[in-house]
Amino acid sequence: MINSRAALMVDADTGQVIYQQNIDQKLPIASVSKLLTACVIEDEVAHHQLSWHQKIKITPAVAAVSNDPDYSAVGLQAGQSYTVRELFDVMLVKSADGAALALATANGKTIKQFNTKMVKKAKQIGLRNVTIVNSVGLRNGDLKQVTQKGIKKQSENAMTARDVAILSLYLIRHYPQVLDITKRPQENFTVFPGKVVVADNSKEMLTGKNYEMPNVTIDGLKTGTSDKAGECFVSTGMYHGHRMITVVLHANGGNGDRFVDTQRLYQYLQNNVHPRRVTLSHRQAHPEIARGDRKRLAVGVAPVDIWQDSKFHYRLQVHYRQKLTNFNGQLVAPVKKGQRLGSATIESKSLKTIDKKPLTVNLYSKETIKRHGLFN
C-alpha cells in the first residue's frame, strides 16, 4: 500500500500506533532534522538564553549556504542581521537551510556546540537511534566553509520513523504554537530593506494546496529531501477531532510521492479503523468501598479513544493508588467527587504505542463517599 521505505501513523493524544512499516530502520531524514533544531531553539527562548527579538548577524559562510540555488534558499545577506523569530519562521515554512545554520550559530555558538545540544535534546526526548551532523539536514560536505572536521563529507542526519514521530509529538505537545507557523501557506521574508522574498510553504497537503484531503485538516509539520533520504514528509492534522501524526521516509519515485503516501495513510485510517471510547466494565465502574456510608462507589475514566478494527479486543487492568486502599486492595472511604483513584491499563495484543509503554487512563471518583460514622 505504502511505497516509501518507512511509514507510520500515530494518534497524537494517546501515542497509539495505527499503521507502521519498517519504523525502526535508521534512515537519512534531510530537512526533517529542523524539527529537532526547532526544539532546541524553543527551549533556549523558554529559558531566556535567546530572545525572539534578538538579532543574528549573517557571516559570509552562512550566506554562502543560504544563496546556493541547489539548496532551500532565501538569500540571507552577509553582514545583514535578522531576528531569531524571522529565521525560525522561515526555517519552518520554507525549510530555509541558511536560516537553520544561522540559528545554530546564535550567541557565538559553533556548529559543533549546537550539534551537542541537539544530541542532548534527542536523548531527553527519548530518541534512541539518532545521528546528528548539523542543524540543517544537509550532508556535512554541503556546508561549504563550515564543514565539520572529523566527520565524513557524505554523512548526514538520520533517525528511525519511530524517533521522528516521538520528536514530532514532543514538539507539538510542548510548543504547540509552532503549528501557527507550519500551517502558513507562505512567509514574506525581508532579505534587506527594499527586497522581500515570498517563501512558499513546501507542505503540499495544507488547505488549498495540491494534495489537500477531504475531512483532514493538515497544519504541519515538515518536509525533507536529499539524494540519500529521498522525499520525506512528517504531517500532523485533525481528523474528526483527533490529532494525527504521520511519517513518510524515502518515498520512492519522487514527484510528490511523499504526499501520495501520506494520503494513503489517512485513507487507511478512514477505511479500516474507527475510534472507540474506553469504558470500564460494570464491576470496575462500581467497586466495593470499605468503611463508607455506601457500599459501592461510582468510578469513571478520563475520556480516551482508541482506534480499532474488527479484530481488535482489549481489557482494562485497574490499579488503585495504594494509599487509598486497605490490605486487601479495596478502596477505603472517605473519597471526594473528582478525586483521582489510580489508573487503568489498556491491554491488547493489537495495541501498540510509539514509545512502547502501556497505554493508561486515569480513574476518578464520580461521587463523594463519606466515612462510616462511629455509631452507624
Side-chain angles (χ1 to χ4, degrees):
M1 184 186 79
I2 305 298
N3 295 323
S4 300
R5 183 81 61 84
L8 175 64
M9 172 171 269
V10 178
D11 184 313
D13 295 323
T14 62
Q16 180 186 356
V17 174
I18 298 167
Y19 181 93
Q20 60 177 325
Q21 177 176 301
N22 196 29
I23 66 172
D24 289 315
Q25 182 184 359
K26 191 175 184 179
L27 296 167
I29 58 170
S31 285
V32 171
S33 313
K34 293 176 177 118
L35 295 178
L36 184 55
T37 301
C39 282
V40 175
I41 297 299
E42 287 278 13
D43 278 357
E44 293 191 338
V45 171
H47 292 93
H48 308 292
Q49 297 165 345
L50 276 179
S51 163
W52 290 120
H53 301 293
Q54 179 177 330
K55 290 192 173 183
I56 300 174
K57 190 174 183 178
I58 303 302
T59 65
V62 171
V65 172
S66 185
N67 286 274
D68 191 322
D70 291 331
Y71 302 164
S72 182
V74 290
L76 300 178
Q77 299 295 295
Q80 189 75 22
S81 294
Y82 306 90
T83 66
V84 171
R85 168 58 70 194
E86 288 172 325
L87 295 169
F88 187 85
D89 288 7
V90 80
M91 175 186 73
L92 290 180
V93 174
K94 172 67 175 174
S95 193
D97 293 333
L101 200 57
L103 288 167
T105 57
N107 289 342
K109 293 189 290 289
T110 65
I111 302 299
K112 184 177 181 180
Q113 288 171 328
F114 195 83
N115 288 353
T116 300
K117 289 187 174 185
M118 291 177 72
V119 171
K120 182 179 178 180
K121 189 63 185 179
K123 290 181 179 179
Q124 178 197 337
I125 293 171
L127 312 188
R128 299 181 179 181
N129 199 357
V130 175
T131 295
I132 298 299
V133 176
N134 54 63
S135 63
V136 183
L138 292 170
R139 295 176 300 180
N140 184 44
D142 293 333
L143 292 184
K144 303 181 187 295
Q145 296 100 311
V146 288
T147 296
Q148 298 299 290
K149 295 179 180 180
I151 301 176
K152 294 179 180 179
K153 289 186 176 181
Q154 298 300 316
S155 297
E156 59 184 287
N157 298 345
M159 293 184 192
T160 66
R162 183 190 299 275
D163 281 343
V164 171
I166 293 172
L167 168 61
S168 303
L169 278 168
Y170 178 90
L171 181 60
I172 63 176
R173 285 175 178 174
H174 289 80
Y175 301 110
Q177 63 270 21
V178 300
L179 297 176
D180 294 330
I181 304 167
T182 58
K183 69 182 180 182
R184 296 174 190 168
Q186 58 186 208
E187 185 75 14
N188 295 328
F189 185 79
T190 303
V191 179
F192 55 80
K195 183 179 180 180
V196 177
V197 172
V198 179
D200 289 328
N201 199 317
S202 58
K203 295 174 278 294
E204 289 292 326
M205 293 190 70
L206 298 176
T207 301
K209 293 272 190 173
N210 294 333
Y211 294 88
E212 178 186 6
M213 283 196 71
N215 302 318
V216 180
T217 304
I218 303 294
D219 51 11
L221 199 55
K222 193 73 196 69
T223 56
T225 309
S226 74
D227 291 340
K228 288 176 65 177
E231 285 196 348
C232 304
F233 181 44
V234 183
S235 90
T236 185
M238 300 300 295
Y239 172 70
H240 291 318
H242 296 268
R243 176 160 293 283
M244 315 306 297
I245 288 177
T246 67
V247 179
V248 167
L249 300 182
H250 205 128
N252 297 318
N255 298 320
D257 279 7
R258 56 185 161 190
F259 304 123
V260 173
D261 275 354
T262 302
Q263 286 180 327
R264 288 171 177 161
L265 287 171
Y266 282 103
Q267 287 164 358
Y268 174 85
L269 175 71
Q270 294 170 347
N271 298 332
N272 294 279
V273 295
H274 60 275
R276 176 182 176 186
R277 184 57 51 94
V278 173
T279 57
L280 298 167
S281 69
H282 180 77
R283 184 174 181 179
Q284 291 171 331
H286 301 87
E288 292 184 354
I289 183 167
R291 300 182 184 179
D293 57 1
R294 275 167 284 175
K295 291 185 177 180
R296 292 190 178 274
L297 170 68
V299 173
V301 292
V304 172
D305 288 338
I306 53 176
W307 297 87
Q308 63 174 33
D309 57 19
S310 58
K311 299 178 181 179
F312 187 92
H313 300 284
Y314 78 91
R315 67 188 184 93
L316 289 178
Q317 186 67 42
V318 171
H319 310 278
Y320 295 122
R321 297 167 67 188
Q322 188 173 1
K323 68 178 184 179
L324 301 179
T325 61
N326 59 21
F327 62 91
N328 289 324
Q330 185 181 25
L331 286 167
V332 178
V335 171
K336 294 182 179 179
K337 184 177 181 179
Q339 182 177 352
R340 190 174 75 84
L341 304 175
S343 62
T345 302
I346 303 170
E347 297 180 343
S348 171
K349 292 181 179 179
S350 303
L351 181 64
K352 295 178 174 60
T353 58
I354 192 62
D355 58 4
K356 299 183 179 180
K357 295 179 181 178
L359 182 54
T360 61
V361 291
N362 287 330
L363 297 171
Y364 67 94
S365 173
K366 297 175 72 174
E367 59 182 337
T368 294
I369 299 290
K370 296 181 180 179
R371 185 134 185 170
H372 202 295
L374 179 65
F375 298 104
N376 291 108

